[in-house]
Amino acid sequence: MNILDNLNEEQLKAVKHNKGPLLILAGAGSGKTRVLTHRIAYLITEYNVNPWNIIALTFTNKAANEMRVRIDDIAAGYGAENIWVSTFHSTCVRILRRFGDSIGYDRNFSIYDTDDSRALMKNIIKSMNLDSKSFNERKVLSVISANKNELISPEMYAKEARGDYRDEKYALLYKEYQQRLLSNNALDFDDLIMKTVELFKSDENALTYYRNRFRYILVDEYQDTNSAQFELLSLLTPTENYEGGIENNICVVGDDDQSIYKFRGANIFNILNFEKVFPDTTVIKLEQNYRSTKNILAAANEVIAHNTMRKSKKLWSSNEEGCPIQYIRYMSDFEEAIGITQIIKNGVDAGENYRDYAILYRTNAQSRIFEESLINLNIPYKIVGGINFYSRKEIKDILAYLKTIDNGLDDIAVRRIINIPKRGIGLTTIDRIMQYADIHSISFYEALKDAEYIDGIGRSLNKIQQFVSLIEHYRNRISEGDCSVEELVRDIIADTGYMDILMAEETAEAAARIENIEEFINKTVTFETDSASYDDNTDSSSSLSLFLENVALVADADTISDDSNVVLLMTLHGAKGLEFPHVFISGMEDNIFPSEMALYSTDSSELEEERRLCYVGITRAMKTLTLSCASKRMRNGETHFNNPSRFLAEIPRYLMNQKTSDTFSQSVMPAQRKHYNEDSFNFRHKPAGSNLFSNNPYISKGMKKSTETYSANDRVLHIKFGAGTIKHVEANNGDYDLTIDFDNIGIRKMKASFAKLSKIL
């Protein structure tokens, strides 16, 4: 196979580039993964670069695995297996497993997920006698995460916080949180990057080792990097040659137009200012899109062109023109959900697959109404970004056992399972053990081992000793290589009677938990063969440590199966990196998308990020794109009326097929219908600042509250059942009993005070 086959001119330039910094501006669907993998193969086969000296970094295991498979395929026989291909966080775990002891961590450190961190912070807030309402653990952890992304230590934050009561408390909580993590031999997700940077800055041997090891660094999705990740790359790739003579052979691939993770700490200026940081950078633009139709790309280009903080580029394609973009204005969010799901059903009836469809929305809360509609039509679906499999209670319980066996210093894990299943060890006993641990500056598990010396333990002593004996038994088996992770999990389930307890419940919930445990066992079985190979820096780690690391670094996007024939529901953020033949972007309304926060922010970059999010959503579509909005939407128990999204007005009229639902059309006064007529609906030419529906009497004052009187033959709208006609009204103790014939579902009886009806004038 010729490495250079089927590459366009710009892709060839990127693949053939040899030395020095390289910035590849890769538009959506422009084949960036192909370029990265072929470039790596070309470095090995044509420039004789040792595979050992190459590292490729990305953000999800799914992307890393895809890259690994492609590299192995095109560079087979050239030692491709020696290339590091992994996420930032996985890479940092491997580095810290080897050199972490120089900054105070044992190699078998735990990696805390969100729930673990919250549990730890909740304990800290309580121990410091702070009001949990004023200092919510989620908010505190958010502040700490933001500081870590900027490499701001507790000491640095404390200096900045002087004079501000709340910030001073945050600084104290941050300091105690880090101290507890260290004593638990644990790192949270943000620590993995921050502590690796700390390691490189404090341990010259570690930095020199990896500078010599990674002479060619390739980074995917560079626009998503934060300040800590930028510093990590800068340390590995000095902007000037240092004594070792290492060249700054860093290649980054990204698209500033797809930078949508500012809320996670992503810094768009990392890519915008790349050439300033790395002198003599070669810049190559990949603008040919292989994914979408010309109409879809034209719409994407028109929208993103309204941003000012970007590098100039314009997607183009040799694909067909494709269908016009569908824009549908619905009466309500309920009707929007019904309309979209009906379109999907019609498409599947015509021969499409469920997996070809994706429904995208701005916030997770918008998913509920789509779920109900999909269920009603018996359409299989999956919500991406719901409860992570590994966050489910039964899975967390088993993982806590594994963490305790692997790292006894992890107090959060030990305390979770001390009474799971119930052993009769009371809270008073646990408090005494915790006090003993604090006084003697030891871990909770070490205090359990000393239980016989703790006053007031009483009858719980035997139960505690049995628990410790069980954990030590498992530890001995692991250290002696006597069992696999699968065998260990099966033994834990059997010895604790966990599965038996669930089976005895005989409930649907218990049955679902049993299925989850069985799926977890499947994971342990495939772990050995499916996990990426590890080189010499992890050969001292047990298979259990590697398994826990693998589980801890799983992201939502990694759980999406290409084989599942289901409609996918996800936020626009969650859709990044994916593609679908048919895409629906729902809730295209001001205050929804763009968000209310962005609309009224004094920082223009907030609205620009929302526009980038819109661009990402549009470019997920391959064949058809449907944009929709609703005249009214229920939020927080109240009906809201939003204007159509300003992003819709940025798409030229000739690219869209615009229509309104039947219910919406019927609700508009005849004099106003010309504003919605498909042939004259050209809001692209509206004066700046005007609103498409600002003169609509139905929206501004036609919706009457349900407290008003009703008469037979009144036309009304129900938030769930849609439009209908009142057939009978009967007064009843200050309220009205209404009999309504709904257009879609027939007769329903309801009280006016509960129905939340709106009259259609």
Side-chain angles (χ1 to χ4, degrees), residues 326-349 352-354 356-362 366-367 369-377 379-381 567-570 582-589 624-630 633 659-662:
Q326 298 295 312
Y327 167 49
I328 308 175
R329 174 79 166 166
Y330 291 100
M331 187 63 246
S332 68
D333 50 350
F334 174 73
E335 188 182 71
E336 179 185 39
I338 292 177
I340 289 175
T341 51
Q342 187 61 55
I343 293 172
I344 294 173
K345 185 178 186 304
N346 294 342
V348 173
D349 289 345
E352 298 282 355
N353 293 306
Y354 291 119
D356 295 335
Y357 294 90
I359 302 174
L360 311 182
Y361 35 74
R362 181 62 181 83
Q366 293 169 250
S367 67
I369 200 163
F370 285 107
E371 281 194 87
E372 292 179 0
S373 186
L374 290 164
I375 290 171
N376 287 338
L377 290 180
I379 295 176
Y381 69 93
V567 175
L568 289 183
L569 280 66
M570 68 188 80
H582 311 290
V583 169
F584 299 87
I585 304 181
S586 62
M588 293 286 288
E589 303 144 34
T624 70
L625 172 66
T626 302
L627 310 175
S628 62
C629 62
R633 184 175 298 275
K659 63 180 181 179
T660 58
S661 67
D662 292 341

Side-chain angles (χ1 to χ4, degrees), residues 70 652-653:
R70 292 198 191 185
R653 168 67 180 87

Side-chain angles (χ1 to χ4, degrees), residues 187-224:
L187 298 167
D188 67 15
F189 213 56
D190 296 316
D191 275 330
L192 297 176
I193 309 293
M194 186 177 185
K195 290 299 179 181
T196 304
V197 170
E198 179 184 324
L199 168 68
F200 284 162
K201 288 184 175 180
S202 62
D203 189 335
E204 187 66 28
N205 290 331
L207 179 59
T208 300
Y209 175 85
Y210 286 107
R211 276 182 169 177
N212 283 296
R213 171 72 191 270
F214 302 133
R215 291 177 177 259
Y216 282 82
I217 298 176
L218 299 93
V219 185
D220 193 13
E221 304 289 3
Y222 185 68
Q223 77 281 345
D224 293 336

Side-chain angles (χ1 to χ4, degrees), residues 50-56 68 79-86 90-99 107 209-210 212-214 531-542 546 549:
N50 191 328
W52 175 269
N53 295 135
I54 300 174
I55 181 172
R68 163 59 70 190
E81 66 276 4
N82 293 317
I83 301 170
W84 271 26
V85 183
S86 66
S90 294
T91 294
C92 288
V93 169
R94 297 173 71 177
I95 292 171
L96 291 170
R97 294 282 189 215
R98 182 179 184 119
F99 289 101
R107 292 182 176 181
Y209 175 85
Y210 286 107
N212 283 296
R213 171 72 191 270
F214 302 133
S531 61
S533 60
Y534 287 80
D535 66 5
D536 66 327
N537 75 340
T538 54
D539 56 10
S540 62
S541 299
S542 71
L546 298 182
E549 172 190 323

Side-chain angles (χ1 to χ4, degrees), residues 63-257:
N65 292 337
E66 179 184 354
M67 199 182 301
R68 163 59 70 190
V69 170
R70 292 198 191 185
I71 291 172
D72 289 346
D73 183 46
I74 62 178
Y78 289 91
E81 66 276 4
N82 293 317
I83 301 170
W84 271 26
V85 183
S86 66
T87 65
F88 272 94
H89 292 91
S90 294
T91 294
C92 288
V93 169
R94 297 173 71 177
I95 292 171
L96 291 170
R97 294 282 189 215
R98 182 179 184 119
F99 289 101
D101 54 348
S102 73
I103 56 172
Y105 285 86
D106 291 340
R107 292 182 176 181
N108 63 334
F109 57 80
S110 295
I111 302 172
Y112 275 10
D113 62 15
T114 302
D115 290 339
D116 297 329
S117 292
R118 285 176 185 166
L120 179 58
M121 182 53 70
K122 193 172 184 178
N123 291 336
I124 294 171
I125 292 171
K126 183 178 179 181
S127 68
M128 293 177 63
N129 295 317
L130 293 173
D131 181 8
S132 60
K133 293 182 179 179
S134 299
F135 293 92
N136 177 273
E137 63 265 18
R138 292 174 185 246
K139 173 60 178 175
V140 176
L141 288 170
S142 176
V143 170
I144 291 174
S145 178
N147 278 282
K148 288 184 178 182
N149 287 336
E150 296 298 322
L151 296 175
I152 298 173
S153 67
E155 294 73 24
M156 295 165 62
Y157 184 51
K159 289 181 180 179
E160 296 177 1
R162 286 175 183 168
D164 186 296
Y165 171 79
R166 180 169 292 276
D167 284 346
E168 286 179 347
K169 294 299 182 186
Y170 282 149
L172 289 173
L173 289 166
Y174 184 9
K175 181 179 180 180
E176 181 64 20
Y177 176 70
Q178 291 304 108
Q179 289 175 346
R180 298 268 189 111
L181 283 173
L182 181 59
S183 65
N184 288 358
N185 192 34
L187 298 167
D188 67 15
F189 213 56
D190 296 316
D191 275 330
L192 297 176
I193 309 293
M194 186 177 185
K195 290 299 179 181
T196 304
V197 170
E198 179 184 324
L199 168 68
F200 284 162
K201 288 184 175 180
S202 62
D203 189 335
E204 187 66 28
N205 290 331
L207 179 59
T208 300
Y209 175 85
Y210 286 107
R211 276 182 169 177
N212 283 296
R213 171 72 191 270
F214 302 133
R215 291 177 177 259
Y216 282 82
I217 298 176
L218 299 93
V219 185
D220 193 13
E221 304 289 3
Y222 185 68
Q223 77 281 345
D224 293 336
T225 55
N226 59 30
S227 298
Q229 289 159 335
F230 172 79
E231 183 67 15
L232 176 69
L233 293 170
S234 297
L235 287 166
L236 288 171
T237 314
T239 55
E240 297 179 2
N241 290 349
Y242 76 115
E243 292 181 1
I246 301 300
E247 298 168 325
N248 51 349
N249 294 320
I250 182 170
C251 166
V252 301
V253 183
D255 182 4
D256 49 298
D257 289 334

Side-chain angles (χ1 to χ4, degrees), residues 477-478 481-490 524 528 543:
R477 292 191 62 188
I478 287 292
D482 188 36
C483 69
S484 65
V485 178
E486 177 203 353
E487 292 170 329
L488 180 61
V489 171
R490 290 188 183 277
T524 66
E528 294 292 341
S543 59

